[in-house]
Amino acid sequence: GLPATLPALPLELTVLYNSLLFTVGASDSVIKGEAEGIRQGLLRVLEACGACGQDLGTEELWEKVLQEVTVEELQAPLHRLGALQAAWWLAANQLGSVAGLFQLLSTAEDPGRAHCSEGQNKLLSLIKAWRVPPEGASLPLAQSAKDLKEVLHTAAAFLQGLQELEAGNFPTAISFLQEAAGGFCSKNILAQIHTCLGCCAQRMGKPQTALQHLKRALQADFQCLPALSHVAAVYHDLGEIDTELQALTLLYEALGKSPPAAASSSPCFLMRTELLVHTPVLTSLLRPCHPSEVKYLLAQRCLQDGRVADAVEHYLDFLSLLQEGLQQQVPLDGSSALPRIPEVFLEAASALEQAGRHQDAITVCEEVISRTTDLIPRVLRVEERQEQLESSLPGAELAGGLLSQKKESLCCLAWRAAGYLHQGWAWAKLGKSKEAVTQFSRGVLEHLEDAVFMCVCLPVAENLQPEVEVLQKIRLLSLLGRGTQFLELGRNKEALLDFQHSLQISPGDPAAASYLVQALWELNRKQEAAAQWQKFSQSCPAEDEQQQGQGRSLPLYLVSCQQQAVFPHSETLARSIQDYLRAAAQDTPR
């Protein structure tokens, strides 16, 4: 409440500088409201000089103070306070304001030095060019202006590197990040910078360079587990599955241990780089992994690579984690690597089937079926005309909600149908053809026939196309599965109908075409079988490629079902038909 006086201001501004630093150090964060103390300090400077600036914004206030206040004793404390203001602006990602402030600070001390050379970054050049004010012996500082300058330079380089990374300008991002890595960094910040450098290199298609940076990140701070997660991702891109699994295993083990004391910040400052750099892109790159996510990735990678026994073990471990409350481990903001839980159950069922644990697979699928049954509406329309009509109704949010609800219903429909499909194959492997036919029939008829028939015959809303394609694939595989079991039971006419329906859903499908030929052959309609075989043989290569392309886009939980639907007797059937054709040609009178 005392009036501002020029003799007391140097001490007052130094006390303000120290108190703000101690506040930051005590709270371990840059508190936005504390910057108001800097503004009040500037207003007291103007008051002591007989000026006023209450109506000015913070940037205009700094400009007025630095241009009008020429008292020599105030220059050093004002410059230190300016550096502290720059820290607050960096924390708010106001890089333009920081550059403007250092332009004013440089102009105030030497008008000829307020420029940067061509090719240099303006902000970093201005920070480097700023002359640190001398420290008075009688006024100790909580953190020297020289150290604060180094922190500001590192933070500014780091922030600009992150901006360029987010914009996709990776070479420029690498230049800024390397500049930041050469500054005053704690071990934690150095690890973060090298992690970002590794991500840049990975996105530029330089996996070995990425691995070098990620290794440096872990050397700087072995607790930087996001770096280990990125290492696994790089090895995944390289197709080195063994090394990827090793990295994921190490990550899972590290997440299960109690974290030791945080990596030391050396040297230790009250105002540190880590308090000034917190952007969405950095948060995304350094998002902490959760044990359940890593366990799922281990299971998924093993299943994709055919390591069935390992996949089963990891999936069962994951399902046990569900019992412990997965919601407490995984963020609900959509950033998790986990798919929807029914899909994980179906993948687990697929792994169990391939491991020969068919009864367990049936049990897991029953869980999916029972949980999704009540979520499926009795009537579900998905044609394009219906969606256009709903979107034209008043209330775009309501229309969007209806579309989202339909997508969810289609997902539940697909999960339940896939459950029946897996159960059908499991019963088939157990030699229970009648039970297999029952489950395949449920997959084909009970809740798919009307919906998918509508999808095939009518234009489908674009937003629902992926879900509808999955449903069509499930119905195709269910028909093929049931048809194979009809063949096992000697019900060849019924098998033939299923294979004909399969070809209506997916014309030219190699498995459906081969099974159709076999069904005709078993029915002793050998001439028709031979004609169909010749027809499909001519178009087979192109359609095989098409089917393989479709297989790549299949959900993982359907891949094993498609593999089981592949026709196993192609060579035998081909020889039989060729022998028949040769015999028929010899019997034909010349």
Side-chain angles (χ1 to χ4, degrees):
L2 296 175
T5 60
L6 285 174
L9 276 177
L11 176 60
E12 186 175 329
L13 294 179
T14 302
V15 170
L16 174 61
Y17 173 85
N18 285 341
S19 66
L20 290 173
L21 283 172
F22 283 127
T23 301
V24 168
S27 62
D28 207 29
S29 64
V30 176
I31 304 171
K32 186 176 180 181
E34 294 296 330
E36 181 63 24
I38 298 177
R39 177 180 176 82
Q40 295 303 319
L42 296 178
L43 291 174
R44 286 182 65 78
V45 170
L46 290 178
E47 179 187 344
C49 295
C52 181
Q54 290 284 357
D55 298 332
L56 298 176
T58 304
E59 293 182 48
E60 292 82 4
L61 187 58
W62 269 108
E63 184 176 1
K64 183 178 181 66
V65 168
L66 292 174
Q67 288 178 352
E68 296 184 9
V69 178
T70 58
V71 179
E72 184 65 27
E73 292 77 10
L74 289 179
Q75 296 308 304
L78 279 174
H79 274 242
R80 286 193 290 267
L81 210 57
L84 209 52
Q85 176 71 72
W88 256 270
W89 278 337
L90 281 177
N93 212 23
Q94 297 176 235
L95 302 187
S97 299
V98 177
L101 179 55
F102 276 103
Q103 181 89 25
L104 289 170
L105 292 172
S106 298
T107 304
E109 59 190 20
D110 185 354
R113 299 179 68 247
H115 68 279
C116 63
S117 303
E118 185 177 351
Q120 291 182 312
N121 177 259
K122 180 180 179 182
L123 176 55
L124 297 183
S125 296
L126 287 169
I127 295 175
K128 282 182 178 179
W130 174 54
R131 289 177 179 171
V132 178
E135 296 184 22
S138 59
L139 299 175
L141 301 176
Q143 183 172 334
S144 72
K146 179 182 178 182
D147 290 342
L148 183 54
K149 174 182 176 179
E150 294 293 341
V151 169
L152 294 175
H153 181 268
T154 301
F158 196 1
L159 284 167
Q160 290 181 97
L162 291 171
Q163 284 184 346
E164 297 297 334
L165 191 160
E166 187 174 22
N169 302 323
F170 302 123
T172 308
I174 286 175
S175 177
F176 279 121
L177 291 170
Q178 288 175 335
E179 179 86 9
F184 273 26
C185 298
S186 66
K187 292 180 179 180
N188 179 37
I189 282 293
L190 188 59
Q192 292 183 12
I193 293 171
H194 278 297
T195 301
C196 294
L197 282 165
C199 292
C200 281
Q202 183 185 10
R203 295 179 187 183
M204 292 174 69
K206 299 180 178 180
Q208 297 304 326
T209 304
L211 289 172
Q212 290 174 9
H213 284 298
L214 294 170
K215 180 180 178 181
R216 291 186 191 126
L218 290 167
Q219 288 172 339
D221 180 8
F222 66 91
Q223 297 175 53
C224 187
L225 297 185
L228 189 53
S229 175
H230 288 294
V231 167
V234 173
Y235 281 121
H236 178 70
D237 292 343
L238 289 171
E240 298 186 20
I241 182 67
D242 289 329
T243 317
E244 180 194 2
L245 291 175
Q246 288 175 10
L248 288 172
T249 301
L250 285 173
L251 180 58
Y252 183 75
E253 291 173 353
L255 289 169
K257 296 177 181 177
S258 299
S264 63
S265 300
S266 179
C268 184
F269 301 132
L270 294 171
M271 182 66 76
R272 308 184 303 278
T273 304
E274 43 264 64
L275 301 181
L276 307 182
V277 181
H278 37 77
T279 65
V281 64
L282 183 63
T283 302
S284 174
L285 291 174
L286 300 177
R287 187 183 73 81
C289 297
H290 297 267
S292 54
E293 294 177 278
V294 181
K295 178 57 71 173
Y296 170 74
L297 284 175
L298 282 165
Q300 181 196 60
R301 299 291 188 261
C302 287
L303 183 58
Q304 290 171 332
D305 195 54
R307 306 179 187 216
V308 176
D310 291 337
V312 167
E313 180 182 347
H314 290 309
Y315 274 115
L316 293 180
D317 286 345
F318 177 84
L319 295 182
S320 70
L321 286 174
L322 284 180
Q323 304 298 322
E324 299 173 10
L326 191 61
Q327 289 79 7
Q328 299 174 6
Q329 303 179 45
V330 180
L332 301 177
D333 57 3
S335 62
S336 170
L338 290 175
R340 301 291 295 276
I341 296 303
E343 294 185 15
V344 181
F345 270 77
L346 291 169
E347 289 174 18
S350 175
L352 288 165
E353 276 183 69
Q354 294 176 66
R357 297 173 59 173
H358 306 299
Q359 201 66 53
D360 290 335
I362 291 169
T363 302
V364 171
C365 289
E366 193 59 42
E367 182 74 12
V368 176
I369 293 167
S370 63
R371 294 296 183 94
T372 54
T373 295
D374 293 337
L375 303 177
I376 300 171
R378 295 180 63 85
V379 178
L380 180 62
R381 300 181 63 84
V382 296
E383 72 270 23
E384 188 173 38
R385 184 179 60 182
Q386 177 74 12
E387 297 300 330
Q388 291 174 347
L389 178 62
E390 289 176 356
S391 63
S392 65
L393 293 174
E397 291 184 7
L398 178 60
L402 289 171
L403 181 61
S404 177
Q405 186 177 358
K406 286 188 176 182
K407 286 177 74 73
E408 185 69 8
S409 297
L410 283 171
C411 286
C412 291
L413 201 60
W415 297 329
R416 177 168 140 173
Y420 286 131
L421 175 62
H422 277 288
Q423 286 185 329
W425 282 116
W427 283 117
K429 293 293 184 181
L430 290 169
K432 307 280 189 177
S433 293
K434 290 184 179 179
E435 288 84 350
V437 166
T438 299
Q439 297 310 103
F440 284 133
S441 298
R442 287 174 175 170
V444 172
L445 300 172
E446 186 170 292
H447 52 276
L448 281 177
E449 189 168 54
D450 293 338
V452 178
F453 182 77
M454 187 182 301
C455 300
V456 172
C457 298
L458 295 172
V460 176
E462 183 178 353
N463 291 333
L464 301 177
Q465 192 66 39
E467 289 77 15
V468 167
E469 288 176 358
V470 170
L471 279 167
Q472 289 175 322
K473 190 66 178 182
I474 293 171
R475 189 179 187 218
L476 169 66
L477 294 172
S478 298
L479 284 166
L480 288 174
R482 188 174 68 175
T484 61
Q485 296 311 298
F486 281 146
L487 287 176
E488 289 287 331
L489 294 168
R491 296 161 62 177
N492 298 328
K493 289 184 179 180
E494 292 166 283
L496 178 63
L497 287 174
D498 276 349
F499 300 139
Q500 288 172 335
H501 289 158
S502 299
L503 286 169
Q504 290 176 0
I505 294 173
S506 180
D509 181 86
S514 298
Y515 276 118
L516 175 69
V517 171
Q518 185 187 16
L520 289 169
W521 192 263
E522 296 292 338
L523 288 166
N524 205 30
R525 294 162 61 176
K526 296 185 177 181
Q527 187 173 354
E528 289 180 67
Q532 290 291 344
W533 179 81
Q534 289 176 314
K535 173 186 173 182
F536 292 125
S537 296
Q538 293 171 356
S539 59
C540 196
E543 282 164 5
D544 276 346
E545 292 178 7
Q546 179 184 356
Q547 291 298 318
Q548 290 171 4
Q550 290 175 352
R552 281 193 296 271
S553 63
L554 274 181
L556 181 58
Y557 61 82
L558 288 181
V559 171
S560 64
C561 295
Q562 174 153 294
Q563 291 170 346
Q564 292 179 91
V566 172
F567 185 69
H569 310 300
S570 297
E571 293 183 5
T572 304
L573 182 61
R575 282 196 300 269
S576 299
I577 291 176
Q578 288 167 350
D579 290 344
Y580 169 80
L581 290 173
R582 278 194 294 268
Q586 291 174 359
D587 292 342
T588 303
R590 297 187 180 183

